[in-house]
Amino acid sequence: MNDKPREDEHTPPATNSETETSSLSRRKFLGNAALLGLSGAGLAAGLVGCKESAQAPAAGGAPASTPAHEAGGLSYEIKPGQLDEYYGLWSGGHSGEVRVLGVPSGREIKRIPVFNRDALTGWGLTNESKQVIGTREDGSLRYDTGDTHHVHASYNDGTYDGKYAWVNDKLHSRLARIRLDTMECDKITELPNAQGFHGIFPDKRDPVDAAVNHTTRVFCGSEFALPHPNDGNDMDDPEKYYSLFTCVDAESMAVRWQCRVDGNMDLVASAYDGKLAASNQYNTENGMIYADMMSAERDACVFFNIERIEAAIKAGKFTKLPNADVPIVDGRKAANPDPKTALTCYVPVPKNPHGVNASPDGKYFICSGKLSPTASVIELTKVHDWFAGTLDDPRKAVVGEPEIGLGPLHTLFDGRGNAYTTLFLDSQIVKWNIEASIKAFAGDKTAQPVVDRIDVHYQPGHLNASMAETREADGKWLVVGCKFSKDRYLPVGPLHPENEVLIDISGDKMKTVHESPVWPEPHDFIVVRRDVIKTRQIYDMGEFPNAVTDPAQSKVERNGKKVTVYLTSMAPAYSLTEFKVKQGDEVTIILTNHDKVEDLSHGFGLPKYNINFIVNPQETRSVTFKADKPGVYWYYCTHFCHALHLEMRGRMMVERA
Ligand code: RUQ
Ligand code: CUA
Ligand code: CA
């Protein structure tokens, strides 16, 4: 995103609500052809369609938007030497990493390796990182692939506290935690009994103890149903398949409990009162193939009553599966006939919803229709009423359902009562007013929910706005992750980058100010005010139990065939310029960096032994390998540290056995 600003090329289509409503009504629900179009060839057709719509705005289109600096627009230009106003925490998709961007500039500042191997930091190679990721019996990584989707950060008092961020791995159902002071992953938990772990959201306070006003749990949904236990039995019996919602302890990262549901779970949101978490369900049909998953006109947003679930577990009302010591409660409808004791509430929403997001005023959850051109506004007090037994029909918790456009996916907020939803099929962002949608739903013909819409290129999935998932939503910047860039950049062969769009939402009308290509697929991101995150400058040597605290301790220690090399670094030298081991030894190198200056990191590369990692100031890292090749191997500093960086090296001599 650090290239020159572009002229905003598009012309926003009409915002005339009459035209809009009637054309949407004609399209009401997508026909079967369009539904099938969500896969394969149909998607390609959708892409063509979106290009046309971008070039031929609806009749009555407003003039091209004014430059960002006019009419009170925000300036996104960050001059050389200036710092961004926000941290963006970006999921890295297939890469398995998390990326740190500056917003609004879009400059990528850091990559945090999580589920991947990383050649710079040695993540996935050092003993310490392997322990976090998890290893097999032979010492190899348990997994070195991942599929990160959603990044969310810890809360205190309804806003970010800068302590942690979490990211999910949909591929192997893992939840990773990143400490935001060092921006490094410190724990990974693999969820039992789950596949297709997709949505995550930290809680925002304790449901029972009002004094605990910060994140203590992380909720995890899972999309794919399995026959439990998943041990090769019952694979052909659809009756045996079900999914589990998982609660992980934010501090220990241990799995606290799981809750069985009807249907599946996609995205997750948590309420500001800490009492409710919810997940949108697109497969209440429990279908195994997608035609079955689309048969019902309505699916659901399932709400979890956290206090009741935890009380049930305390009272011993749970079961366990043989493969994990985790209490499981039953949240199926049939197991919860009485709302006054129910653990879950299924709020019906239109067809295959996607995305559920909590409005910053704490009042509503918004579920997007995906296959319905609507977003459903669910009032949380009404969900509480249902749990209290005073609302007869959970559908009555839906207080608004504006028609907003085709393929609505995710919704974020500006803190001024407006919602912004991505329209995947229309390739647009639609801005709509929540209170107006509630009035319209109640029958007020004068209420016009849709405020503005703007084209994006192309097929947007997630979006997020500055601080939008906190009660400090400030309504300045909206970032949109588009799944296809198509013709926006120089062609680079069959695989194209994705496209990210920066939109100024500070005024009445949205203004696109910038776009940039991104390596697929960032998927989701949060935009955090920079003062929230307080990073450390260097490590504390005492944090590492294996630290070589004194360069004078540098030595080779032999214990049978196991050899430990204690090594330190200080620019521009290692404490040992040579060491000897024997062919066949299992060698562990422990390296402590004694430099104290911020960013004075050293590398350790060992040729032919597939080793490369860095040590940051006052940090200790270690690697273990088998010295199976005799000869001289020059270890050298792989990270530019000093004018004599090239001279920073030494010899590992492996004596022939
Ligand atoms: S989901 S494009 Cu993995 Cu975040 Cu909605
Ligand atoms: Cu030490 Cu380069
Ligand atoms: Ca469905």
Side-chain angles (χ1 to χ4, degrees):
M1 280 202 195
N2 50 2
D3 53 350
K4 284 248 169 73
R6 268 167 202 267
E7 275 300 308
D8 193 355
E9 287 164 15
H10 75 271
T11 306
T15 52
N16 178 311
S17 300
E18 249 180 48
T19 324
E20 194 159 79
T21 311
S22 53
S23 75
L24 279 172
S25 293
R26 264 180 268 117
R27 302 188 283 179
K28 194 75 181 170
F29 286 95
L30 300 176
N32 258 334
L35 291 182
L36 294 169
L38 284 172
S39 70
L43 178 58
L47 283 172
V48 172
C50 84
K51 177 145 199 207
E52 280 166 2
S53 89
Q55 289 175 340
S65 51
T66 46
H69 299 268
E70 282 175 34
L74 300 171
S75 171
Y76 78 95
E77 196 189 348
I78 303 292
K79 298 213 163 67
Q82 285 184 344
L83 301 181
D84 280 287
E85 208 179 330
Y86 301 88
Y87 283 100
L89 299 178
W90 252 245
S91 136
H94 309 291
S95 74
E97 70 199 6
V98 166
R99 300 170 190 162
V100 184
L101 272 66
V103 175
S105 76
R107 298 177 294 192
E108 185 181 287
I109 307 166
K110 184 172 187 174
R111 295 183 171 198
I112 305 170
V114 181
F115 302 112
N116 55 325
R117 301 181 65 130
D118 179 62
L120 165 71
T121 56
W123 187 257
L125 180 95
T126 59
N127 295 330
E128 295 73 24
S129 61
K130 280 167 113 178
Q131 207 183 339
V132 174
I133 302 169
T135 52
R136 298 176 190 275
E137 269 177 16
D138 65 358
S140 64
L141 284 185
R142 190 152 163 74
Y143 312 105
D144 60 5
T145 49
D147 179 22
T148 59
H149 279 234
H150 304 112
V151 182
H152 290 291
S154 56
Y155 286 82
N156 189 2
D157 200 17
T159 192
Y160 297 132
D161 63 3
K163 203 170 173 197
Y164 297 126
W166 287 272
V167 64
N168 73 308
D169 167 27
K170 180 168 170 174
L171 193 56
H172 306 299
S173 292
R174 291 176 296 172
L175 178 71
R177 186 174 73 188
I178 290 160
R179 354 178 342 176
L180 290 177
D181 63 343
T182 57
M183 298 218 174
E184 283 187 324
C185 172
D186 74 338
K187 275 186 192 294
I188 293 179
T189 296
E190 185 171 344
L191 307 185
N193 314 315
Q195 281 180 27
F197 160 35
H198 191 197
I200 64 167
F201 220 98
D203 68 5
K204 299 190 179 93
R205 60 185 305 151
D206 195 90
V208 196
D209 186 350
V212 181
N213 202 2
H214 60 265
T215 294
T216 54
R217 303 165 182 77
V218 184
F219 302 114
C220 312
S222 60
E223 273 183 70
F224 309 155
L226 292 170
H228 294 290
N230 189 23
D231 58 3
N233 292 313
D234 306 318
M235 295 193 290
D236 289 319
D237 183 356
E239 298 288 305
K240 293 275 164 67
Y241 280 67
Y242 61 91
S243 344
L244 291 158
F245 182 76
T246 305
C247 173
V248 175
D249 190 281
E251 280 302 327
S252 70
M253 289 287 284
V255 177
R256 280 195 181 191
W257 48 261
Q258 295 190 298
C259 178
R260 178 174 179 178
V261 297
D262 296 309
N264 67 340
M265 287 150 302
D266 189 14
L267 280 301
V268 175
S270 70
Y272 282 83
D273 65 6
K275 292 177 191 294
L276 297 171
S279 183
N280 62 290
Q281 302 187 300
Y282 60 80
N283 187 17
T284 48
E285 301 91 338
N286 285 318
M288 290 289 150
I289 57 164
Y290 78 99
D292 294 340
M293 297 179 196
M294 300 187 304
S295 59
E297 273 312 306
R298 276 190 187 143
D299 286 289
C301 184
V302 55
F303 282 82
F304 298 87
N305 189 316
I306 308 304
E307 190 173 351
R308 283 188 193 169
I309 289 173
E310 298 199 344
I313 289 163
K314 243 190 180 158
K317 291 186 208 145
F318 60 81
T319 54
K320 278 183 186 174
L321 284 164
N323 52 318
D325 187 21
V326 172
I328 298 173
V329 294
D330 195 340
R332 285 175 300 166
K333 269 183 234 171
N336 295 274
D338 180 5
K340 285 199 206 117
T341 56
L343 306 181
T344 52
C345 170
Y346 294 75
V347 176
V349 293
K351 222 174 175 66
N352 290 39
H354 188 73
V356 54
N357 296 91
S359 66
D361 58 9
K363 290 191 202 163
Y364 309 108
F365 277 13
I366 314 286
C367 239
S368 299
K370 189 166 79 185
L371 303 190
S372 154
T374 56
S376 303
V377 181
I378 301 170
E379 189 174 338
L380 299 186
T381 54
K382 294 215 150 73
V383 177
H384 282 301
D385 289 347
W386 184 86
F387 276 121
T390 57
L391 186 78
D392 58 333
D393 177 1
R395 174 65 193 169
K396 289 185 182 159
V398 175
V399 296
E401 207 153 72
E403 292 192 353
I404 53 176
L406 294 187
L409 293 184
H410 295 279
T411 299
L412 263 305
F413 309 91
D414 62 9
R416 299 186 293 269
N418 300 307
Y420 299 75
T421 304
T422 47
L423 300 175
F424 181 82
L425 295 177
D426 278 341
S427 283
Q428 285 185 332
I429 306 304
V430 56
K431 172 182 177 179
W432 54 282
N433 185 272
I434 299 173
E435 291 308 323
S437 80
I438 294 171
K439 283 194 189 129
F441 196 68
D444 181 345
K445 295 254 179 327
T446 63
Q448 303 286 0
V450 173
V451 179
D452 190 19
R453 54 178 76 238
I454 197 167
D455 289 350
V456 289
H457 308 91
Y458 302 91
Q459 258 81 23
H462 275 274
L463 78 177
N464 214 320
S466 38
M467 299 297 281
E469 293 184 293
T470 74
R471 57 170 183 73
E472 295 185 306
D474 63 17
K476 286 178 160 180
W477 294 112
L478 181 78
V479 185
V480 183
C482 292
K483 301 291 186 192
F484 298 89
S485 64
K486 211 167 125 67
D487 48 10
R488 307 299 281 182
Y489 302 105
L490 290 174
V492 285
L495 176 67
H496 294 206
E498 293 189 4
N499 189 26
E500 277 177 359
V501 184
L502 181 70
I503 297 174
D504 174 355
I505 54 167
S506 64
D508 291 338
K509 291 196 125 335
M510 294 178 276
K511 288 172 196 159
T512 300
V513 297
H514 193 247
E515 56 177 27
S516 67
V518 284
W519 185 232
E521 53 175 294
H523 206 101
D524 193 15
F525 29 84
I526 57 172
V527 181
V528 181
R529 240 182 24 242
R530 72 177 186 207
D531 62 277
V532 171
I533 295 178
K534 301 204 166 38
T535 57
R536 295 166 60 180
Q537 292 171 299
I538 59 170
Y539 289 87
D540 173 358
M541 203 179 280
E543 287 171 82
F544 305 93
N546 57 345
V548 186
T549 53
D550 182 352
Q553 297 166 351
S554 302
K555 61 178 173 203
V556 177
E557 191 179 82
R558 176 169 291 279
N559 185 356
K561 283 214 149 278
K562 292 196 175 180
V563 171
T564 307
V565 181
Y566 298 88
L567 199 59
T568 64
S569 60
M570 187 177 273
Y574 297 111
S575 54
L576 298 176
T577 53
E578 59 175 68
F579 63 85
K580 275 189 185 147
V581 298
K582 291 194 173 70
Q583 186 179 9
D585 284 346
E586 184 196 283
V587 180
T588 297
I589 293 175
I590 303 173
L591 174 57
T592 299
N593 183 2
H594 281 247
D595 275 305
K596 281 193 178 140
V597 180
E598 192 177 354
D599 197 34
L600 219 177
S601 303
H602 298 285
F604 185 90
L606 188 59
K608 315 303 176 191
Y609 277 96
N610 198 30
I611 282 167
N612 189 13
F613 63 98
I614 59 165
V615 272
N616 297 302
Q618 301 286 298
E619 188 184 33
T620 299
R621 282 177 182 167
S622 66
V623 286
T624 300
F625 60 95
K626 189 141 193 214
D628 52 2
K629 295 171 283 285
V632 168
Y633 300 91
W634 283 96
Y635 52 90
Y636 69 98
C637 180
T638 46
H639 203 74
F640 212 105
C641 55
H642 191 274
L644 292 172
H645 156 75
L646 285 177
E647 286 80 352
M648 186 168 172
R649 56 192 166 103
R651 285 179 301 160
M652 174 174 84
M653 288 175 276
V654 182
E655 294 171 336
R656 190 172 280 285

